[in-house]
Amino acid sequence: MYKVTLVAAATALALGLTGCSEQPTQSSSNNQQAETVAKQETKKSQQLGSGIELENIDSNVRAQDDFYYHVNGKWLERTEIPGDKSNYGSFTALYDQSQAALKEVIEAAAKNSDAKAGSDEQKLGAFYTSYMNTDALEEKGITPLKPYLENIAAVSDKSELVSLMADIRIQGGTTPFAWYVNNDAKNSSQYALYVSQSGLGLPDRDYYLKDEEKFATIRDEYITYITDMLTKAGVEDAQQAAQDIVALESKLAKAQWSRVQSRDATKSYNKMTVAEASELTGEFDFAQFLAQSDIDSKEVIIRQPSYFEDFGSIFAETELDTWQDYLTFHFVSNYADELSKDFVDRKFAFYSTTLRGVEEQKPRWKKAVDSANAVLGEMLGKVYVKDNFPPEAKARMEELVENLIKGFDQAIDGLEWMSAETKVAAKEKLNKFTPKIGYPDKWKDYSALEIKADDLAGNFIRYSEWAYNEMREKLGKPVDRSEWHMTPQTVNAYYNPVNNEIVFPAAILQPPFFNLEADDAVNYGAIGAVIGHELGHGFDDQGAKYDGDGNLRNWWSEQDLAQFEQRGKKLVEQFNGFAPFEDASVNGELTLGENIGDLGGLTVAYKAYQLSLNGQPAPELDGFTGEQRFFMGWAQIWRRKYRDEELRNRLMTDPHAPSHYRVIGVLPNMPEFYEAFDVKEGDEMYIKPEDRVKIW
C-alpha cells in the first residue's frame, strides 16, 4: 500500500493547493525561512511529473481513433489476467494491495492467543482460524448444514413451507423473493420495508429464457451442478430433482421483470398494506411470512407487483417436494465455500469456470481475507484507515469534493436546454449533497455477533442472522444517515439517492486515482472525474427523480424533462452501437445511468480543473498539455481485461459499460476532447456536432 502521507500529498496536488504543503521549520532568520521555502518549492517542481504512464502508450493507435487503446495499448498487450480472476485492471490491482495489507492484520490477530474474548482482535483471529483449518472442514463435510437441511425435509404442508422460507432467508438461504429495509423513497426520513424478486441460481432471467446454444449449454451444466450438489446432500433421485428445480426457476424467470424495468425508480415503487400484498401473492400467506420473520409493519413496498402475483400462482401449482429440493439445493450451494473441498471445487467449477472463465481458485488466504471483509468489514476497516488514511487526508478530500460541486454548479448555469426554474431546483439538490469521505464517523457494533474458531459455516450463518436483525431493528426508528454501505477498504465509490449522498471509501484514494508524482491535470481526470461521476448519479435518468432530501418527487418542468429524456435516448443509441462480440452488444438502457454519470462527471471535472488553474496556463509535461493529461488520466483508470465468459456475463447483468466503452463512448461527446487532441472529421472518434450528447 502507499503510505498515508503519500495519499494526503496526492490529495493536495489534486486540489491545486501547492501553497498548502507542509510548512517550513520556524527560524529566527527571515532570510533562512525564505531560503528554506524556495528550496522546498524547487525540489517539488523537480519531482512533479505528468502522471502519465508512458510505457503503456501504444503509438501505433492514434488518440483520435481509439483513445482507450492509445493510452493503454501496451499495458493491454503485456498484461495477463491472473488465473484466479475473471478480469483485471486498475481497481483489481489496488484491491490486491489492500488484500495483502489486511492479511497481515488478520494473521497477527490469529496468532494472538491473549486477545480478550469478544474483542475485535479475538473475532478476527477466530474467523481466520476457522477459514484456514481445512483439516477440520474435511472432517466435518456437510455436517454443519444438517440441522437446517433436516428442517427443510421435515416440512409437511404449504403453510409450514411459508414459515420455513422466512427462517431460511434469515439464515442466508435463497427464496423466490428478498426483502430489505431502507429509507422510504417518498418519505426519506422514515424507514420502509421493500420486497423484491429473487430466487434464481443463474445470473439473470435471460439465461433461462434465451434459446441460443450457449444458454442451452449453460442450463444443461446447471442441471448437472444441481444434481451433484443434491447428491452430496443425500437427496434421492437428485437428477430428477435438479430438472424440476430448473423448471421451477424458469417459471420464476419468465415472471420476473428485466433489469432495465427493475431499475425504474418510479415503476418499482408500489406501496401497499400487508393485507393487499397477501392478496397479491394468493396461496402464499405474506402476512404469515412477515410474522415468522419477526417484522411488525403495516405497509410494504413491492418493487415488481406482477412478479409477486405470478409467484403466488407458481407457489400454489408447484409440488411441496420440489420446493424442498429447491431450498435444499440453494442452501447447500450458498454455503458450499464454507464446507469440505469437494463442495468448494464443485461450486468453483460451475460458478467461476463455466460462467466466468476463471481458471484456478484463489489461494486459501485470499478467500479468507475476502470472507473476513464480507463478515467483519468495518472491524477491519477501523484498522485499515488507522494505517492508511489520516484525518488530514479526509479533510483535503472534502475540499476537492467542494471544488467539484462548484464545477457542477457552473455546469448547470451553462445549460442552454434547461429553464431557469428547473436550474433553481437542480442547484437546490446539488447544494444538499452530503459527501462522505474515507470512513464512517461511527463504526458498526459487532458485540452481538459470535465468531468461533472451529465453526466456519456457523460463523456465516450467525452473521446472516446478525445482519438480518440489525436491518430489521431499523423499522420504526429514525433514519441513520451516518450509515455506510461500503467498507473503507473497498476500491469503489457510490451515490445513495434516498440520502442524496456521495461516498468515497479510503481505498480508492490512491494512485492511479490520486498520483503523488503527478500535477493536477491527471488527478482531476481520475479521482476528480470519479467524484463528478457520483455527483452525476444524482442527476442521471433515475437519480434525477429524487429531490435534495432524497424523496422520489418530480422537480422538473414538463418541457425540461422531455429534453432530458431525449438526450438520454441519444446516449442509449450511442452505447447500443458498441459490440464486443458479433452476437452481443452493450445494453444502452441498462447502462444509461452510469453513462450519464461518466459524461456528466468528466465534464464537471474538466470545469473544476480549469478553475484550479486560476486563469494560468497548465505546464506542458512529457510532451502533453494539461488538457491532454486530463483526458489521459481518465483513460488510465479504466484499463481492464476481461475473460470472454465474464464479459458476456457483464453485458447482460452489469449496469456499467465495459471499460473500453467508458472511454471511447464518452469522450467523443465532449468538445474539449476535440480541442485537446485535434480530432477532425474522418477520425474514428469523431461525431458530428449535432449528434453529440450534452446533458450536464
Side-chain angles (χ1 to χ4, degrees), residues 1-4 6-7 93-102 384 387-388 489 491 506-508 510:
M1 297 297 292
Y2 288 84
K3 299 295 184 183
V4 292
L6 303 191
V7 176
L94 289 186
Y95 178 73
D96 285 347
Q97 295 176 27
S98 171
Q99 195 177 45
L102 294 174
Y384 179 86
D387 295 339
N388 294 275
Q489 59 272 28
V491 185
I508 199 173
Q510 52 185 317

Side-chain angles (χ1 to χ4, degrees), residues 350-596:
F350 180 70
Y351 279 108
S352 295
T353 303
T354 298
L355 291 182
R356 302 174 65 204
V358 182
E359 299 170 352
E360 61 189 51
Q361 295 188 45
K362 295 179 182 179
R364 188 76 186 175
W365 73 263
K366 287 188 176 182
K367 293 182 181 182
V369 172
D370 288 347
S371 296
N373 259 326
V375 173
L376 302 169
E378 285 199 14
M379 190 182 290
L380 274 173
K382 280 194 287 187
V383 181
Y384 179 86
V385 298
K386 178 182 177 183
D387 295 339
N388 294 275
F389 195 70
E392 55 267 30
K394 185 173 183 176
R396 290 171 183 170
M397 182 66 181
E398 287 169 348
E399 292 182 61
L400 179 56
V401 172
E402 185 177 348
N403 205 14
L404 266 293
I405 290 176
K406 290 178 181 177
F408 212 117
D409 187 272
Q410 286 195 2
I412 293 172
D413 282 336
L415 294 178
E416 297 178 357
W417 60 270
M418 183 179 283
S419 68
E421 176 189 1
T422 303
K423 285 181 180 179
V424 170
K427 286 192 173 190
E428 180 182 344
K429 175 170 183 173
L430 182 67
N431 291 331
K432 288 185 176 182
F433 267 83
T434 298
K436 294 180 178 178
I437 311 298
Y439 52 90
D441 293 328
K442 65 179 183 179
W443 300 95
K444 286 185 182 295
D445 178 6
Y446 292 90
S447 59
L449 175 58
E450 183 182 16
I451 300 293
K452 297 182 179 180
D454 61 350
D455 188 14
L456 178 59
N459 288 336
F460 275 87
I461 293 171
R462 284 187 293 275
Y463 166 74
S464 180
E465 294 169 340
W466 173 84
Y468 171 78
N469 287 326
E470 183 190 45
M471 175 186 69
R472 178 186 57 80
E473 289 171 0
K474 293 177 182 177
L475 286 170
K477 294 181 180 179
V479 168
D480 181 4
R481 294 185 181 268
S482 70
E483 184 179 16
W484 278 53
H485 301 291
M486 280 182 182
T487 63
Q489 59 272 28
T490 302
V491 185
N492 212 328
Y494 69 92
Y495 169 71
N496 181 3
V498 288
N499 278 351
N500 196 31
E501 62 186 7
I502 48 176
V503 185
F504 305 96
I508 199 173
L509 304 178
Q510 52 185 317
F513 300 91
F514 275 130
N515 187 336
L516 174 66
E517 304 299 332
D519 80 320
D520 290 350
V522 74
N523 287 313
Y524 272 97
I527 193 63
V530 171
I531 295 169
H533 171 95
E534 300 307 333
L535 286 169
H537 271 314
F539 299 94
D540 68 22
D541 65 308
Q542 298 304 314
K545 295 179 178 181
Y546 296 82
D547 65 17
D549 295 317
N551 291 313
L552 192 59
R553 179 182 66 82
N554 181 30
W555 44 269
W556 295 73
S557 73
E558 185 176 345
Q559 182 178 359
D560 289 339
L561 183 59
Q563 273 273 6
F564 176 70
E565 291 175 344
Q566 183 58 40
R567 289 165 186 264
K569 287 178 181 178
K570 288 182 66 175
L571 201 59
V572 167
E573 292 170 2
Q574 287 184 3
F575 276 83
N576 280 342
F578 295 125
F581 303 104
E582 289 185 3
D583 61 342
S585 61
V586 175
N587 184 334
E589 288 185 284
L590 179 61
T591 59
L592 178 58
E594 299 297 333
N595 297 334
I596 292 176

Side-chain angles (χ1 to χ4, degrees), residues 42 59 119 126 205 225 439 459 478 530 558 584 587 629 638 641:
T42 300
S59 57
S119 65
R205 65 194 291 269
Y225 170 66
Y439 52 90
N459 288 336
V530 171
E558 185 176 345
N587 184 334
R629 296 195 307 277
W638 295 117
K641 295 187 76 170

Side-chain angles (χ1 to χ4, degrees), residues 247-426:
L248 168 58
E249 291 187 15
S250 297
K251 292 179 183 178
L252 296 174
K254 187 176 181 180
Q256 287 190 358
W257 290 19
S258 70
R259 290 175 185 265
V260 171
Q261 291 171 316
S262 290
R263 69 179 294 271
D264 189 313
T266 306
K267 293 180 180 178
S268 61
Y269 184 95
N270 304 279
K271 181 180 281 190
M272 59 186 70
T273 66
V274 171
E276 289 170 334
S278 285
E279 185 176 344
L280 193 70
T281 56
E283 189 173 316
F284 185 92
D285 190 335
F286 190 74
Q288 176 189 338
F289 176 85
L290 290 187
Q292 183 67 23
S293 302
D294 197 20
I295 291 176
D296 182 14
S297 178
K298 295 180 180 179
E299 294 180 318
V300 62
I301 298 170
I302 302 291
R303 299 198 67 241
Q304 302 96 356
S306 64
Y307 168 78
F308 284 89
E309 187 172 13
D310 289 343
F311 163 66
S313 300
I314 295 169
F315 179 80
E317 68 188 28
T318 302
E319 297 293 334
L320 177 63
D321 58 354
T322 298
W323 281 117
Q324 290 171 300
D325 291 337
Y326 167 88
L327 295 173
T328 296
F329 158 67
H330 280 291
F331 202 82
V332 173
S333 183
N334 287 1
Y335 285 108
D337 287 327
E338 287 73 56
L339 301 177
S340 51
K341 188 174 182 296
D342 55 333
F343 285 94
V344 175
D345 291 349
R346 188 63 187 92
K347 183 174 182 179
F348 174 83
F350 180 70
Y351 279 108
S352 295
T353 303
T354 298
L355 291 182
R356 302 174 65 204
V358 182
E359 299 170 352
E360 61 189 51
Q361 295 188 45
K362 295 179 182 179
R364 188 76 186 175
W365 73 263
K366 287 188 176 182
K367 293 182 181 182
V369 172
D370 288 347
S371 296
N373 259 326
V375 173
L376 302 169
E378 285 199 14
M379 190 182 290
L380 274 173
K382 280 194 287 187
V383 181
Y384 179 86
V385 298
K386 178 182 177 183
D387 295 339
N388 294 275
F389 195 70
E392 55 267 30
K394 185 173 183 176
R396 290 171 183 170
M397 182 66 181
E398 287 169 348
E399 292 182 61
L400 179 56
V401 172
E402 185 177 348
N403 205 14
L404 266 293
I405 290 176
K406 290 178 181 177
F408 212 117
D409 187 272
Q410 286 195 2
I412 293 172
D413 282 336
L415 294 178
E416 297 178 357
W417 60 270
M418 183 179 283
S419 68
E421 176 189 1
T422 303
K423 285 181 180 179
V424 170

